[in-house]
């Protein structure tokens, strides 16, 4: 198959996934559609190495993981996260609930390695799923390598409707308070709560015209290299995944002014990086036979159900302690199943369904959206990558 034909087919599949997600307002996840189409392709006429033929071999995927995780670190503002400390505790408690339930009840129903592979994708996104999938493949666990991809693909089906239901209950309660004069609009812009602008303090005297796309890529790559170097230096004493250090170094580099926030987007590289990375993770489905898919169905459903029950119970109790409603606490925990931008989309859809008054919409969003955004960033961006870096060492 010619390279450009392979790339065109795969890019077309990703577009179809996006199109259906937009038409269904994200109720059908784009990644699910893409996985179904690619799986059908592998079972029919796709060559097994179609992703590599299209130009995304493992070496390129590894490079993009370093860049994307470092870029994730630039998206986090320590100051704004401090303001949402309750949300952080709730998000972490929900993740602890998943871990506790899967390491207690889960290990009685499935084997330990299945649980280890399931947890990071269940509390995170594409990066943690890829880390666990590659780790399982390297350990010779082919079925679990596919399982890591499938659980990432399917968890949104549980997360989206549950989040919508509990957010509607929360929104109705807040709307009633607002109409009764008990709730005020928060002054801070919603998105600014998390995605505050940052300064390049270390290059403050450099004219902006010299801050080219190549310079942005250079600085991002340099920080990724530092993370890799430190991980290698520490290897004789302690094993720390370079991906975890990429996240930490990204936060540090942004706080000291070496990197700007969302640097990969500003370098016009984020879209292609995500396209290539999604193709690479879906490439893990090439070994998924119909028999294998039926084999992993039981642990797939079981892990998701146990994880959600654990999230609800733990978030309920921490919400009681912090005086946060059980609906909002559960919604924040559920962001682990999909992260950004689905948390943003679902929250806006719920608010739009509750009222058409612009002031009421702003009031609801000012109270509901910041916790949802922070919850998604904490679980998907930070904790899942850290867990994947730890758990992959036990496979």
């Amino acid at each position: 198959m010619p390279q450009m034909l392979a790339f065109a087919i795969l890019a077309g599949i990703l577009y179809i996934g996006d199109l259906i997600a937009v038409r269904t307002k994200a109720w059908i996840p784009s990644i699910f559609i893409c996985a179904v189409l690619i799986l059908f392709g592998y079972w029919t006429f796709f060559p097994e190495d179609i992703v590599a033929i299209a130009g995304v071999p493992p070496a390129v995927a590894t490079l993009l993981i370093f860049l994307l995780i470092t870029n994730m670190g630039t998206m986090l503002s320590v100051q704004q996260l401090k303001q949402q400390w309750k949300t952080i505790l709730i998000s972490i408690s929900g993740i602890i609930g998943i871990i506790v339930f899967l390491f207690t009840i889960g290990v009685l129903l499935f084997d330990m390695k299945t649980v280890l592979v399931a947890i990071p994708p269940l509390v995170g996104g594409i990066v943690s799923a890829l880390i666990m999938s590659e780790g399982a493949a390297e350990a010779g666990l082919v079925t679990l390598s596919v399982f890591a991809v499938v659980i990432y693909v399917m968890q949104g089906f549980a997360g989206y409707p549950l989040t919508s239901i509990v957010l509607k209950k929360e929104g109705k309660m807040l709307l009633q308070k607002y109409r009764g004069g008990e709730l005020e609009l928060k002054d801070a812009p919603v998105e600014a709560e998390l995605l505050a602008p940052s300064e390049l303090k270390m290059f403050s005297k450099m004219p902006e015209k010299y801050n080219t796309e190549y310079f942005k890529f250079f600085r991002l790559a340099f920080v990724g290299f530092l993370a890799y170097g430190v991980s290698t230096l520490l290897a004789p004493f302690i094993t720390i995944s370079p991906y975890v250090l990429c996240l930490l170094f990204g936060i540090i580099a942004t706080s000291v002014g070496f990197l700007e926030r969302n640097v990969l987007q500003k370098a016009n590289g984020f879209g292609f990086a995500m396209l290539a990375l999604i193709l690479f993770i879906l490439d893990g489905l090439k070994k998924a036979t119909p028999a294998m898919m039926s084999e992993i169905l039981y642990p797939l459903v079981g892990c998701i159900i146990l994880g959600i029950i654990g999230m609800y119970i733990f978030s309920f109790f921490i919400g009681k302690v912090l005086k946060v409603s059980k609906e909002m606490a559960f919604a924040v925990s559920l962001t682990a199943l999909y992260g950004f931008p689905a948390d943003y989309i679902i929250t806006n859809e719920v608010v739009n369904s509750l009222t058409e008054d612009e002031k009421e919409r702003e009031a609801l969003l000012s109270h509901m959206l910041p916790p949802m955004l922070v919850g998604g960033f904490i679980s998907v961006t930070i904790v899942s990558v850290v867990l994947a870096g730890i758990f992959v060492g036990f496979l």
Side-chain angles (χ1 to χ4, degrees):
M1 179 179 287
Q3 180 181 22
M4 292 313 298
L5 176 59
F7 185 81
I9 290 173
L10 295 175
I13 286 174
L14 296 188
Y15 173 68
I16 292 171
D18 269 353
L19 185 65
I20 293 176
V22 170
R23 291 288 295 175
T24 61
K25 297 180 179 178
W27 281 90
I28 299 179
S30 63
I31 192 69
F32 171 74
I33 299 299
C34 296
V36 169
L37 292 175
I38 285 182
L39 197 58
F40 175 77
Y42 281 129
W43 289 353
T44 53
F45 68 96
F46 279 7
E48 189 174 285
D49 58 346
I50 186 172
V51 174
I53 292 173
V56 190
V60 173
T62 301
L63 167 65
L64 295 177
I65 294 173
F66 273 93
L67 296 180
L68 282 164
I69 297 181
T70 307
N71 184 69
M72 283 180 179
T74 73
M75 298 168 70
L76 299 170
S77 166
V78 176
Q79 188 59 36
Q80 265 85 36
L81 291 178
K82 286 180 182 178
Q83 297 172 8
Q84 290 284 340
W85 63 274
K86 288 185 178 181
T87 300
I88 294 172
L89 290 178
I90 292 170
S91 179
I92 292 174
S93 72
I95 292 169
I96 292 173
I98 293 175
I99 295 172
V100 169
F101 267 63
L102 285 177
F103 273 130
T104 53
I105 302 174
V107 293
L108 298 177
L109 303 174
F110 326 111
D111 63 274
M112 178 61 75
K113 288 185 177 179
T114 297
V115 170
L116 286 170
V117 169
I119 290 175
L122 196 56
V123 302
I126 186 171
V127 173
S128 54
L130 184 55
I131 293 172
M132 297 311 298
S133 179
E134 286 191 319
E138 289 173 4
L141 306 170
V142 178
T143 301
L144 290 183
S145 176
V146 174
F147 179 62
V149 177
V150 175
I151 200 168
Y152 162 68
V153 168
M154 296 301 296
Q155 62 191 16
F157 277 105
Y160 296 154
L162 283 174
T163 303
S164 182
I165 290 168
V166 294
L167 277 186
K168 281 183 179 178
K169 288 185 178 180
E170 176 73 8
K172 287 177 181 177
M173 183 270 293
L174 292 175
L175 193 57
Q176 190 175 3
K177 284 187 175 182
Y178 180 77
R179 289 170 177 171
E182 302 175 43
L183 190 74
E184 295 182 356
L185 173 68
K186 288 188 177 180
D187 294 331
V190 177
E191 290 82 2
E193 287 283 330
L194 187 65
L195 304 177
S198 61
E199 296 180 2
L200 280 177
K201 299 173 186 175
M202 296 183 67
F203 305 98
S204 58
K205 295 183 180 179
M206 185 184 74
E208 180 60 28
K209 64 182 179 180
Y210 294 122
N211 187 17
T212 66
E213 293 173 357
Y214 296 140
F215 188 50
K216 292 182 176 71
F217 272 115
F218 164 70
R219 286 181 284 117
L220 188 63
F222 182 72
V223 174
F225 167 70
L226 289 179
Y228 168 79
V230 170
S231 175
T232 303
L233 289 174
L234 292 175
F237 312 102
I238 184 172
T239 301
I240 301 179
S241 169
Y243 299 143
V244 175
L245 292 178
C246 278
L247 188 67
L248 175 63
F249 282 28
I251 296 172
I252 295 172
T254 307
S255 64
V256 300
F258 183 76
L259 290 176
E260 54 265 74
R261 210 170 304 284
N262 297 313
V263 61
L264 193 56
Q265 287 90 325
K266 292 174 181 176
N268 294 315
F270 184 78
F272 179 77
M274 283 302 298
L275 178 147
L277 198 60
I278 290 172
L279 290 180
F280 187 73
I281 191 171
L282 292 177
D283 182 52
L285 295 174
K286 65 187 176 185
K287 296 172 183 174
T289 63
M292 184 186 293
M293 293 299 290
S294 62
E295 180 185 341
I296 65 177
L297 182 61
Y298 167 61
L300 171 70
V301 175
C303 286
I304 292 176
I305 291 175
L306 285 175
I308 289 174
I309 293 173
M311 290 167 75
Y312 176 75
I313 293 174
F314 275 67
S315 65
F316 174 82
F317 283 109
I318 194 68
K320 282 284 188 184
V321 173
L322 299 176
K323 293 180 169 48
V324 176
S325 71
K326 64 179 183 296
E327 289 83 9
M328 196 69 235
F330 191 32
V332 166
S333 295
L334 285 168
T335 58
L337 299 180
Y338 43 81
F340 186 85
D343 49 9
Y344 181 88
I345 294 170
I346 294 171
T347 307
N348 273 278
E349 287 293 335
V350 167
V351 170
N352 290 337
S353 71
L354 292 174
T355 178
E356 295 181 0
D357 184 274
E358 189 60 32
K359 289 185 178 179
E360 290 180 347
R361 287 186 68 259
E362 289 180 7
L364 291 180
L365 284 173
S366 70
H367 285 270
M368 294 167 64
L369 190 52
M372 291 295 288
L373 290 175
V374 173
F377 274 107
I378 290 298
S379 56
V380 175
T381 306
I382 299 179
V383 180
S384 69
V385 176
V386 174
L387 287 177
I390 296 171
F391 287 6
V392 75
F394 293 100
L395 296 179

